[in-house]
Amino acid sequence: MAGASSCVHYLSDFCCPPGGRAAGKPHVLRHEAEVFLSTGREFVYVYDQEGGLLTAVYQFPDQVWHLQLLALRRALYVLCARTGIYCLSLDSPRRSASQACEDTEDEAHPCPVIHVDPDACVLPDAALCAFTVLDDVLVALVQGPTQWKMQLFERPYPGEEPQPGGQIGEVELSTSTPPGGVPGKLAAPCFLPVLCCVFPPGSRAPHGHPQGCGCLVLEEALFGLLFGVDATLLQSPVVLCGLPDGQLCCVVLKALVTSGSAPGDPKVLVKILHHLEEPVVFIGALRTEPYPEEAAADLPPGENEHSDCMVALGHQGRTLAIKASWSASGNLVPELREYCLPGPVLCAACGRDGHMYHSTPSNLCVVDLTRRDIPWNTEKPDEATGGLPPVLCPASLNICSVVTLCVSGAPTGSTELLALSSKGRLITCSLDLNSEVPMPAKMTMANAGQKIKELLLDIGDVSERVSFLKKAVDQRNKAITSLNEAMNVSCALLSSQEGGRPISCTITLSWSRLELRDMLLATCTLENSSSFCLDQGWTLCIQVLTSSSALDLDGAGSTFTYTIPVDRLGPGSRREVTLPLGPSESGTLDLPVTMSCWLFYSLREVVGGALAPSDPLEDPCLESLPLNLPKQEGVCLPLCKRTVDMLQCLRFPALASRPTQAPCVPGPACDPVETFLKTCQGPGSEPTGAASLRAKYLPPSTASIRVSAALLRAALEDSRSGSHLCSATLRWLLAENAAVDAVRAQALSSIQGVAPDGTDVNLIVHEVAVTDLSPAGPIQAVEIQVESSSLANMCRVHHAIIRRMKGSTLQLPTYSCVPRRWSQSKQPEAPAHPTCACSTYTRSMPTTRNCFVKCRHCVTSCARRMKSALAPQLRSSCRFTSSCATLALSCCDQLLASSGRCGTHFRLSIGACLATPFTGTSAAS
Amino acid sequence: MSSQVVPALPRPFSSNLDLWREKNDGLVGQARQLTKDSRSSLRRQQLAQDTLEGFGELLLTLQGLPAAVPALPLELTIICNYIILRASLAQDFTEDLSQDVQRGLERVLETQNQLGPKSQPRLRELWDSVLSASSLLPELLPALHCLASLQAVLWMSTDHLGDLTSLLQTLNGSQTEDLLVLLKSWNPPAQKSLAPLMLQDAEGLRDVLLTSFACRQGLQELVTGSLSRAQRSLHEAASGVCPPSVLVQVYTALGTCLRQMGNPQRALLYLTEALKVGVACALPLLEASRVYRQLGDTAAELDSLGLLVEALSATHSSETLKLFIEVELLLPQPDPASPLYCGTQSQAKHLLASRCLQTGRAADAAEHYLDLLAMLLGSSEPRLSPPTSSPGSCLPELYLEAAAALIQAGRALDALTVCEELLSRTSSLLPKTSSLWENARKRTKELPYCPIWVSATHLLQGQAWSKLKAQKEALSDFSQCLELVFRVLPKDKQGAGSTCEQKCSSDVALQQLQVTALISRGLEWVASGQDNKALRDFLLSVQICPGNRDGSFYLLQTLKRLDRKNEAIAFWREAQTQQPQEEAAWSLPLYLETCLSWIRPPNCEVFLEEFGTALLESCDL
């Protein structure tokens, strides 16, 4: 193939439609010196190649999808989208008759545009998608609502009114995927089916069908092998059909006869040959082996050669080749091979000597299907010369984006390609595939100018192609570089531990005054301490998940996701993003808020650009091409997650050194009770007003949580360092609050804070002795008391404290603080179990009942042992006990939440006591 | 600042309503005109498509507005017209038609404020809630009943009979489960004279439903064998509104039914009625041939088959443009197993030819077979060359049957031509004979696969030569046949075969082919006086198929002739212990049966009996 030399001539320019394949399917046919051409628009051009001029332009009502020429009858059949099949008689005087209505707008055409008369429509059917014409019949493929239908008609002649009974046969092709589109209003299919007619060698072959007209002659063995004995005996043409879903099926034409009471049975009539798994774009046939000498002599000149190999091409380049061969035992067996050629395939054509041409947006390639390792003119043709090559090596012809192709043999033995480029340029390309580089012809004065013009055009062609390819290569290089970086970053992030990540994101909280309101701002700092650069394609995503209500902590809240493109974050640099968390206009801030940060790498953004065509005109096919990307559109790398709860958002104006920044309470008084109290207050009432009334009638809600001191001490061991336990507890609780330094400095054990909505929250920590839990005597405990005038805020703080406890109790070391006597008497041999108790008491009996009813299901589900404690009594106080501290805490939390959900404003005081009576077997001995 | 209150139904709306109504009426008129139109079908189809689009646009306009009670009758009418036109143009019911119905129902519910949350209720529930709505306007009822009848059509076409029954129960207010009764008692309210025009009213659709349901049910019962019920249903169908083509089918089905019930004479009466209808006489003719076959009237049977061939040769009548939903649209297409499937001309011709051969009219059979082959192969016009897709038959077998008929008719030379034609046309597909012999010599394990009909062809060729008294050629062909028939491989090795091969390569057929070939060659040896070779072949045939009468007969005869009494007695004793084969169970290809009839000795039973007694006597002595 190295010797392939080509010579390109430019013929003419035609307007091609902007847009891709959906805009139509171009076709080019040649018959002697006449070239028939459709560019995908509604025009069909007739071009005289010898004279180098357009002889006729026909305009159809819609895009032209297919052309076929019956040369002997001088009839051109044209499939017009959503309209039907037209038949033009090329010699009829109609041409001049309808010239009156010429189109002056289209000045590009020197000859008048002939509007095709609707009467020329010989087969109207809006659902027609493909057809092929034989001598006396016409095979059409119609898109039904769920299936493709193949219909057989008597061939309508030009100017002849279609006979109503002209349909001879019909059969449904079984198709697994129904073609899309709404019947009646058919959307243009993305891929059209391919029809092609195969003749057995002895039959009255299709006379006057120019090559590339969808008519093939297969040699007997392959024909019989593919289509069966019956087709061979009948000498019937067979219609091959390649469907957009990849099916390749065949119908024996002589068998396709139906009558009213005998519909075509697909099981008998349709045979599925293969499934290509991608839209079939081309079906053709080749001669890959030399004729035996006696047969070659018999072959009349100009007759279609009998091909011995059938090929079908899929859109992505998957190629099927079928050949008949004899097995060692003398049986006829099909040899079937699948190849992968570079795709997407725009068009293809079969040439002589086993060559097949196929065009992609970037190249026109020729492949050789003969076994070149076995010489063509072999001495002993009887030996097993056959067989298909194990691989196909496409050789480039250096012509890009050819959308339609027509192959013909020149008398000199070379091959001539007639091609239409995507820009509408009609070119011929003479190939001499076997000879050496041809000698330059002798230059004469007369043809020098012409020669130079051609050379310049060639240069233009090549440079156009070079620039296109360069652009594509650059884009791909960039994409590959970016992908490499992304790979490195992903590896670095995924392989490192939580602490020492090369790329980290930290979230800090701060209060700031924005637009006359205090806002809680979260600052996410993305720091790149790796050696890689976060470039195009990377996005920082921050998801903020708020709980819908403080009283319903499990309910789904609202989610916001912020995506911030990371635009070149080099090594060592950092980027800060500040997000306002609230409170909103109405003053509410639905805590807790969970913030998660992750890095997203968009494959589509990086790779999609390289795969997509840079210029839609260049690659009409690529638009509809699904990108070969994995299902996910990118890579997601989680960075960090943080829950912002009430304890982190409390502000302590009393602690501030200068009381300048009093928190600005949001405008509307959100508490209806407050409003009510204010309106109650008459003009002559006490000066203290609302505050005293509130103090009198609405004492703050209180919750208290008791934790075993020993347990707490163990949990806080590292930070205790001699200081008072209460203060340490408070410091632990407020560790993520800005006020923690002040707490440490002043060793506070109680603190008065302000919630984001302005209500006060008091935290009091003191030590108590719990007597009723353990029979061994009082247990030293720390009681954390939460007071707030707002039940909701109290619940939020309680939830935050419980959350911290869950976090710390889970990490507790095994610990023993209970006298040995108790453990021995109760559980002498039992393994270690921490026992926890949470108790709850409210003042209102009905509320308690309500709460218990509401939370029973969760209580029973999580801690079975509580059932006995719960069910019989509806006292105003209740205790949960569970072998698992986390469960007990959860129950308590649940109860609180559901009691808050009751809606009545009541005084609630909750105590949770967590003790760790624990015994190990070692301690018992 | 006071905001302007927009009235619920602005004034222009009612005048628009009139406008839309006029448009609907205009489109309906246009469609009705089209059916009477004498213009070319192409133009009419285009115009019908335009009309359909007109309805579609009108519907879009109306459904773009909020549902309002005054506009609802018109809207439902347009939906009905749209569905009717679309289904009859496409000659098919698609899924989205029922979506159109659903949208209409939802619009009705919208005006009733009953449209619940978008939970996509099933159509059946939608119908229930629409029909149970208390505040339905009486002027809405005609359109609603029309929509209901379309829904019934859609459900019937998709076999959702349960839904259909419950819908009709709600419409009728009755509880019976019998769909026929329900359809009969359904009385849709008449259209008001001022109402918007409808392409087909509810009553007309009801009649269509009634006939097609009765017809479908009757055919189904016919297939399942409940004949008296089938007869009742078919009578019901025939008495309803029945277009001629359906009437022919119904009468034919009644004929089939009566034939199966054992009333051939009454069946013939119905078939005559069917023929009198005047359209599509192929079906009743085919059925008539079956009746005559049952009656044993071969001449009449063949006559009707001949007429059937003629009837099928006529191109079927031109189809007129149908713009209404008709009974045919709701009848399922007959599949090849159905009694209402009449096949193509070539299938009828094949039936005629094979019946001629089976009934002993060999000369006619040969002519018919030759006609058939000429029809299939000679003409280039596929219109006249229909398929042989009848199950179980394939072209090679057709050739073989033709050859057998020719031999039977005494035209052995013609038979030879037919066989040669078959072999030459398929020569490229057959295994290379050179390698065949080579493999045999090399004793390669892998034998080439050879279709069974190739050996059968050689068998027939041998028979033809034998009839021509060319013993040498006959022997060579029989030998070739045997050579090949013992190479027929198990079924999984089939390569270039066609579907029919599964049938004819059944083990019994293969065995019988082997036996026939052996006996044929044996007879040929006998004729040339080489009794020993003949004996070997006869013996082999009996070994292959123990209990075979023909083989036993020839073996004994030859042994007797050679005066090898002891062997004969031993064989006879052995054969007595074996059960004769049950012949009725076989279904052999017709050509093989014909072949078997040639080699069958004329008075085999008598001979065997005589032989037996003679032998016993000789033993006793």
Side-chain angles (χ1 to χ4, degrees):
Chain A
M1 295 305 298
S5 61
S6 62
C7 176
V8 178
H9 295 268
Y10 159 80
L11 291 180
S12 181
D13 251 335
F14 297 92
C15 292
C16 252
R21 197 182 175 86
K25 203 178 172 191
H27 270 280
V28 63
L29 298 176
R30 190 218 303 257
H31 177 61
E32 289 160 5
E34 265 182 317
V35 175
F36 301 89
L37 184 88
S38 76
T39 60
R41 290 171 67 190
E42 54 267 43
F43 296 104
V44 170
Y45 305 91
V46 185
Y47 178 80
D48 182 9
Q49 202 183 344
E50 277 173 6
L53 48 89
L54 267 180
T55 51
V57 181
Y58 296 96
Q59 188 179 13
F60 288 86
D62 209 329
Q63 291 163 3
V64 171
W65 275 353
H66 190 62
L67 289 182
Q68 204 175 343
L69 182 71
L70 279 192
L72 276 189
R73 306 194 198 251
R74 300 286 297 159
L76 183 68
Y77 287 82
V78 180
L79 171 61
C80 181
R82 293 168 288 268
T83 320
I85 298 174
Y86 288 77
C87 178
L88 301 179
S89 173
L90 295 175
D91 298 325
S92 80
R94 177 177 298 168
R95 201 184 289 186
S96 55
S98 51
Q99 251 176 17
C101 46
E102 64 183 61
D103 196 346
T104 46
E105 287 169 40
D106 218 334
E107 281 145 17
H109 311 307
C111 72
V113 173
I114 304 160
H115 288 279
V116 173
D117 190 2
D119 281 341
C121 184
V122 288
L123 195 64
D125 190 343
L128 262 173
C129 284
F131 77 94
T132 182
V133 178
L134 309 185
D135 272 345
D136 39 25
V137 288
L138 186 148
V139 185
L141 206 62
V142 178
Q143 190 173 27
T146 52
Q147 280 180 312
W148 291 98
K149 265 190 274 188
M150 184 180 285
Q151 295 177 333
L152 183 66
F153 296 92
E154 288 174 60
R155 187 173 75 85
Y157 292 93
E160 192 178 276
E161 201 46 66
Q163 292 299 308
Q167 182 174 343
I168 310 165
E170 176 177 287
V171 70
E172 281 178 345
L173 305 182
S174 60
T175 168
S176 47
T177 46
V182 185
K185 279 271 182 215
L186 282 168
C190 198
F191 291 98
L192 293 172
V194 186
L195 276 187
C196 153
C197 199
V198 184
F199 291 84
S203 74
R204 292 197 351 207
H207 294 297
H209 275 280
Q211 265 227 317
C213 239
C215 286
L216 316 170
V217 180
L218 291 187
E219 70 167 18
E220 274 168 3
L222 182 59
F223 188 89
L225 200 57
L226 286 177
F227 311 122
V229 187
D230 284 6
T232 313
L233 275 174
L234 281 173
Q235 303 244 300
S236 161
V238 175
V239 175
L240 263 179
C241 177
L243 295 177
D245 67 352
Q247 234 179 67
L248 193 66
C249 52
C250 66
V251 177
V252 177
L253 208 56
K254 275 193 179 180
L256 181 59
V257 175
T258 55
S259 66
S261 50
D265 183 6
K267 272 177 255 157
V268 177
L269 294 174
V270 183
K271 185 176 168 193
I272 295 174
L273 292 179
H274 195 73
H275 207 298
L276 215 53
E277 312 285 348
E278 57 187 49
V280 180
V281 292
F282 174 73
I283 300 174
L286 297 164
R287 181 82 210 176
T288 61
E289 279 172 49
Y291 289 102
E293 268 167 38
E294 65 272 25
D298 290 347
L299 207 65
E303 188 80 351
N304 275 341
E305 57 178 14
H306 301 171
S307 309
D308 59 0
C309 173
M310 203 194 82
V311 284
L313 247 84
H315 177 62
Q316 296 294 328
R318 194 181 280 209
T319 306
L320 167 79
I322 308 178
K323 224 175 139 172
S325 59
W326 299 92
S327 70
S329 57
N331 286 337
L332 195 60
V333 287
E335 187 186 354
L336 197 139
R337 262 180 209 270
E338 265 199 23
Y339 303 100
C340 256
L341 292 177
V345 178
L346 298 176
C347 62
C350 286
R352 299 195 301 188
D353 294 353
H355 288 123
M356 185 178 72
Y357 304 87
H358 82 283
S359 162
T360 67
S362 59
N363 219 333
L364 177 64
C365 298
V366 53
V367 290
D368 189 356
L369 279 143
T370 55
R371 292 291 296 259
R372 293 287 164 183
D373 44 350
I374 300 160
W376 177 258
N377 289 316
T378 171
E379 291 291 303
K380 289 188 286 179
D382 204 43
E383 289 294 303
T385 53
L388 289 160
V391 283
L392 290 186
C393 306
S396 168
L397 293 176
N398 297 324
I399 304 168
C400 70
S401 51
V402 167
V403 288
T404 176
L405 199 61
C406 170
V407 182
S408 54
T412 52
S414 66
T415 306
E416 197 169 75
L417 302 181
L418 194 63
L420 184 74
S421 78
S422 65
K423 283 194 170 157
R425 194 170 285 176
L426 182 67
I427 51 177
T428 60
C429 175
S430 306
L431 295 176
D432 208 346
L433 293 168
N434 294 322
S435 74
E436 325 74 74
V437 181
M439 293 293 286
K442 213 172 188 181
M443 192 80 67
T444 63
M445 283 298 279
N447 66 8
Q450 177 64 27
K451 191 83 193 166
I452 289 170
K453 208 168 135 192
E454 279 169 8
L455 282 174
L456 284 175
L457 272 167
D458 281 358
I459 293 169
D461 229 33
V462 169
S463 77
E464 187 186 355
R465 190 180 129 75
V466 163
S467 69
F468 168 75
L469 286 179
K470 215 170 187 173
K471 218 162 72 186
V473 164
D474 281 352
Q475 239 175 357
R476 268 163 216 207
N477 276 341
K478 240 174 91 182
I480 287 171
T481 319
S482 173
L483 277 176
N484 185 36
E485 285 269 303
M487 190 76 159
N488 285 332
V489 171
S490 310
C491 286
L493 259 179
L494 293 176
S495 59
S496 60
Q497 292 302 311
E498 187 74 39
R501 283 187 157 179
I503 294 169
S504 60
C505 184
T506 48
I507 300 171
T508 51
L509 294 173
S510 61
W511 283 91
S512 171
R513 179 157 292 190
L514 283 176
E515 295 170 5
L516 300 176
R517 276 195 300 141
D518 273 358
M519 292 293 267
L520 182 63
L521 299 180
T523 307
C524 301
T525 313
L526 178 68
E527 188 164 4
N528 181 7
S529 49
S530 70
S531 55
F532 312 111
C533 178
L534 296 184
D535 212 342
Q536 183 211 359
W538 287 100
T539 318
L540 174 65
C541 300
I542 305 167
Q543 191 188 52
V544 179
L545 174 74
T546 61
S547 40
S548 62
S549 155
L551 302 177
D552 187 10
L553 297 165
D554 294 332
S558 55
T559 312
F560 286 99
T561 306
Y562 300 87
T563 51
I564 301 109
V566 180
D567 194 23
R568 289 200 70 78
L569 189 67
S573 54
R574 56 200 289 167
R575 179 146 305 142
E576 281 191 358
V577 180
T578 306
L579 307 171
L581 291 182
S584 63
E585 297 264 338
S586 56
T588 53
L589 174 57
D590 290 323
L591 293 171
V593 172
T594 308
M595 295 179 70
S596 343
C597 301
W598 67 87
L599 274 176
F600 179 77
Y601 183 73
S602 164
L603 283 177
R604 189 170 286 274
E605 191 181 330
V606 176
V607 187
L611 290 183
S614 49
D615 177 4
L617 275 178
E618 289 281 359
D619 315 288
C621 243
L622 279 177
E623 280 171 311
S624 57
L625 163 74
L627 289 175
N628 276 337
L629 289 178
K631 285 277 188 297
Q632 310 97 325
E633 298 193 338
V635 179
C636 215
L637 302 169
L639 287 174
C640 66
K641 185 172 180 178
R642 177 164 176 185
T643 304
V644 178
D645 60 20
M646 194 55 142
L647 283 174
Q648 298 172 30
C649 301
L650 286 178
R651 281 173 293 170
F652 305 98
L655 282 184
S657 50
R658 294 175 296 130
T660 44
Q661 213 191 17
C664 180
V665 178
C670 50
D671 191 356
V673 183
E674 190 90 21
T675 323
F676 171 71
L677 290 175
K678 267 187 184 161
T679 51
C680 283
Q681 190 182 359
S685 62
E686 292 167 64
T688 39
S692 68
L693 270 174
R694 173 176 274 285
K696 193 171 171 186
Y697 298 111
L698 266 183
S701 306
T702 315
S704 68
I705 299 132
R706 291 181 196 174
V707 190
S708 148
L711 177 68
L712 206 53
R713 204 165 271 137
L716 304 179
E717 191 149 38
D718 51 346
S719 62
R720 186 180 47 150
S721 60
S723 69
H724 192 251
L725 183 59
C726 294
S727 169
T729 309
L730 190 60
R731 224 161 51 225
W732 168 61
L733 289 177
L734 294 176
E736 285 163 303
N737 197 302
V740 69
D741 294 336
V743 176
R744 176 175 294 139
Q746 299 172 27
L748 292 174
S749 63
S750 70
I751 194 163
Q752 294 179 335
V754 181
D757 60 355
T759 51
D760 55 327
V761 175
N762 294 347
L763 287 172
I764 301 147
V765 187
H766 52 86
E767 288 193 62
V768 290
V770 181
T771 51
D772 57 342
L773 256 187
S774 161
I779 296 173
Q780 283 299 309
V782 171
E783 183 177 69
I784 305 164
Q785 201 172 335
V786 185
E787 281 180 8
S788 173
S789 55
S790 151
L791 177 64
N793 281 337
M794 193 269 288
C795 288
R796 287 184 182 124
V797 175
H798 180 266
H799 175 76
I801 294 172
I802 296 287
R803 200 174 70 83
R804 276 172 177 62
M805 287 200 172
K806 277 187 200 168
S808 65
T809 48
L810 283 175
Q811 298 160 9
L812 271 182
T814 53
Y815 188 74
S816 168
C817 69
V818 179
R820 197 170 293 169
R821 180 176 50 84
W822 181 80
S823 64
Q824 274 175 335
S825 64
K826 287 276 181 184
Q827 294 170 306
E829 272 128 29
H833 280 297
T835 309
C836 303
C838 292
S839 59
T840 308
Y841 44 94
T842 66
R843 293 196 181 158
S844 134
M845 181 76 164
T847 316
T848 317
R849 190 177 300 129
N850 196 358
C851 296
F852 285 144
V853 170
K854 283 205 172 188
C855 74
R856 183 167 298 155
H857 68 279
C858 64
V859 166
T860 48
S861 69
C862 61
R864 207 166 276 279
R865 280 179 60 189
M866 291 182 310
K867 214 173 171 184
S868 57
L870 252 183
Q873 51 183 331
L874 286 168
R875 282 186 299 144
S876 58
S877 137
C878 188
R879 178 183 297 169
F880 300 83
T881 50
S882 164
S883 62
C884 166
T886 318
L887 272 186
L889 282 171
S890 295
C891 296
C892 186
D893 210 21
Q894 281 281 355
L895 180 61
L896 181 66
S898 54
S899 64
R901 236 180 271 143
C902 298
T904 47
H905 205 275
F906 60 95
R907 289 198 62 191
L908 176 71
S909 130
I910 297 168
C913 186
L914 186 63
T916 59
F918 168 78
T919 172
T921 38
S922 60
S925 57
Chain B
M1 210 170 79
S2 67
S3 67
Q4 216 172 346
V5 176
V6 181
L9 198 67
R11 265 201 69 75
F13 189 82
S14 56
S15 63
N16 268 346
L17 204 56
D18 288 336
L19 198 73
W20 292 328
R21 225 188 69 176
E22 273 166 32
K23 203 168 171 197
N24 170 62
D25 293 356
L27 286 172
V28 171
Q30 199 177 318
R32 287 190 179 153
Q33 200 65 39
L34 275 178
T35 49
K36 298 167 198 154
D37 207 329
S38 58
R39 265 181 291 184
S40 72
S41 74
L42 153 66
R43 279 301 167 83
R44 281 190 297 171
Q45 198 152 16
Q46 279 170 345
L47 283 173
Q49 198 70 37
D50 291 347
T51 315
L52 180 66
E53 274 172 28
F55 278 126
E57 279 166 22
L58 206 50
L59 199 57
L60 272 183
T61 316
L62 272 168
Q63 289 187 337
L65 298 169
V69 175
L72 215 48
L74 177 63
E75 191 180 319
L76 290 189
T77 308
I78 296 173
I79 291 179
C80 291
N81 287 337
Y82 180 72
I83 292 176
I84 292 170
L85 196 57
R86 196 156 137 206
S88 44
L89 268 182
Q91 290 289 300
D92 201 3
F93 300 102
T94 53
E95 186 55 36
D96 39 345
L97 289 182
S98 59
Q99 284 168 15
D100 289 332
V101 175
Q102 180 164 356
R103 210 167 304 126
L105 294 178
E106 282 167 0
R107 297 276 289 178
V108 175
L109 287 179
E110 222 176 286
T111 61
Q112 311 275 328
N113 289 325
Q114 285 189 355
L115 197 59
K118 288 264 174 199
S119 60
Q120 287 286 326
R122 284 183 61 237
L123 262 172
R124 193 164 151 182
E125 281 114 51
L126 264 181
W127 271 109
D128 283 346
S129 48
V130 163
L131 292 174
S132 63
S134 51
S135 52
L136 272 184
L137 288 176
E139 57 260 40
L140 195 58
L141 279 178
L144 206 54
H145 271 259
C146 187
L147 196 63
S149 57
L150 285 175
Q151 177 69 74
V153 166
L154 294 179
W155 273 337
M156 190 179 287
S157 72
T158 50
D159 271 327
H160 284 90
L161 295 185
D163 288 340
L164 179 56
T165 313
S166 94
L167 173 68
L168 288 176
Q169 280 171 348
T170 324
L171 279 172
N172 283 352
S174 86
Q175 284 306 313
T176 171
E177 289 281 321
D178 191 343
L179 252 179
L180 260 182
V181 174
L182 278 171
L183 278 167
K184 269 191 199 166
S185 59
W186 177 20
N187 208 358
Q191 196 83 308
K192 298 265 164 38
S193 55
L194 285 174
L197 288 182
M198 225 176 251
L199 272 176
Q200 225 174 340
D201 61 358
E203 207 163 339
L205 284 170
R206 197 247 350 242
D207 293 342
V208 168
L209 276 169
L210 189 59
T211 307
S212 44
F213 178 71
C215 204
R216 282 169 81 113
Q217 200 175 25
L219 292 179
Q220 209 172 348
E221 283 158 353
L222 183 60
V223 171
T224 53
S226 40
L227 295 176
S228 55
R229 283 169 60 195
Q231 199 185 1
R232 213 174 315 132
S233 304
L234 289 168
H235 270 301
E236 187 68 53
S239 63
V241 181
C242 210
S245 63
V246 179
L247 200 60
V248 171
Q249 288 187 34
V250 171
Y251 281 152
T252 312
L254 271 170
T256 313
C257 191
L258 285 166
R259 172 172 62 84
Q260 289 179 3
M261 288 166 89
N263 287 329
Q265 298 300 343
R266 279 183 65 204
L268 281 178
L269 285 181
Y270 272 107
L271 295 174
T272 323
E273 280 304 307
L275 285 172
K276 276 184 196 159
V277 176
V279 249
C281 44
L283 261 184
L285 282 172
L286 179 64
E287 184 54 38
S289 77
R290 291 182 194 134
V291 174
Y292 285 127
R293 186 172 177 180
Q294 188 171 329
L295 285 172
D297 188 347
T298 311
E301 182 199 344
L302 295 178
D303 278 350
S304 33
L305 282 177
L307 285 172
L308 171 65
V309 174
E310 300 249 318
L312 286 171
S313 72
T315 47
H316 39 277
S317 59
S318 66
E319 286 175 29
T320 50
L321 187 63
K322 285 172 187 159
L323 295 181
F324 305 112
I325 290 176
E326 287 177 6
V327 182
E328 288 103 319
L329 207 50
L330 278 169
L331 293 183
Q333 291 271 32
D335 58 289
S338 150
L340 292 186
Y341 182 89
C342 81
T344 57
Q345 195 194 359
S346 67
Q347 284 166 341
K349 189 86 180 173
H350 181 217
L351 186 59
L352 174 61
S354 58
R355 285 300 296 154
C356 281
L357 185 56
Q358 278 166 349
T359 51
R361 295 161 192 247
D364 290 347
E367 279 309 316
H368 287 311
Y369 272 116
L370 288 181
D371 281 355
L372 179 58
L373 285 182
M375 197 157 93
L376 290 173
L377 307 169
S379 81
S380 65
E381 286 189 50
R383 177 154 56 99
L384 290 174
S385 320
T388 52
S389 63
S390 69
S393 166
C394 61
L395 275 179
E397 213 170 317
L398 203 64
Y399 268 88
L400 294 176
E401 281 172 27
L406 284 168
I407 295 173
Q408 180 89 22
R411 295 164 65 177
L413 273 176
D414 291 342
L416 281 175
T417 319
V418 168
C419 289
E420 266 160 34
E421 171 103 0
L422 173 62
L423 288 182
S424 73
R425 280 191 184 227
T426 55
S427 61
S428 60
L429 298 176
L430 302 181
K432 286 184 181 169
T433 34
S434 61
S435 63
L436 196 84
W437 306 126
E438 229 165 78
N439 282 330
R441 205 181 58 229
K442 285 186 204 159
R443 296 174 187 246
T444 324
K445 265 194 178 169
E446 196 188 355
L447 288 172
Y449 163 74
C450 182
I452 190 168
W453 49 262
V454 181
S455 40
T457 313
H458 286 295
L459 173 67
L460 285 173
Q461 273 179 324
Q463 288 289 354
W465 287 122
S466 156
K467 292 274 186 308
L468 291 173
K469 308 276 181 247
Q471 277 164 0
K472 207 175 147 199
E473 285 86 352
L475 276 172
S476 130
D477 265 319
F478 286 138
S479 301
Q480 209 163 350
C481 166
L482 285 167
E483 186 79 41
L484 292 171
V485 81
F486 284 105
R487 291 189 192 283
V488 172
L489 291 187
K491 280 165 205 164
D492 57 348
K493 285 287 280 185
Q494 285 182 1
S498 56
T499 45
C500 71
E501 302 244 329
Q502 271 108 46
K503 186 204 159 204
C504 43
S505 65
S506 69
D507 289 343
V508 173
L510 187 61
Q511 200 185 40
Q512 287 300 311
L513 184 63
Q514 289 167 350
V515 168
T516 314
L518 280 171
I519 295 177
S520 303
R521 191 168 70 172
L523 288 174
E524 220 48 49
W525 289 129
V526 171
S528 60
Q530 292 177 290
D531 279 341
N532 281 326
K533 286 181 175 171
L535 200 61
R536 199 186 55 204
D537 279 347
F538 293 142
L539 196 60
L540 260 175
S541 81
V542 177
Q543 278 168 358
I544 285 169
C545 182
N548 181 288
R549 281 179 183 279
D550 304 341
S552 315
F553 171 81
Y554 288 120
L555 183 64
L556 287 175
Q557 204 180 38
T558 318
L559 284 174
K560 196 177 160 194
R561 192 165 53 243
L562 291 176
D563 212 19
R564 288 157 71 165
K565 232 173 204 169
N566 291 338
E567 286 169 70
I569 292 166
F571 175 74
W572 171 254
R573 292 243 162 90
E574 199 188 323
Q576 285 302 91
T577 61
Q578 271 152 357
Q579 290 297 316
Q581 280 185 341
E582 200 56 50
E583 290 198 25
W586 308 343
S587 161
L588 293 181
L590 182 55
Y591 64 86
L592 196 53
E593 268 185 37
T594 317
C595 238
L596 274 172
S597 72
W598 298 330
I599 56 167
R600 189 154 294 152
N603 38 14
C604 172
E605 296 295 324
V606 182
F607 170 82
L608 285 179
E609 238 167 75
E610 279 174 8
F611 183 83
T613 45
L615 218 57
L616 285 175
E617 281 164 14
S618 66
C619 282
D620 289 346
L621 287 175

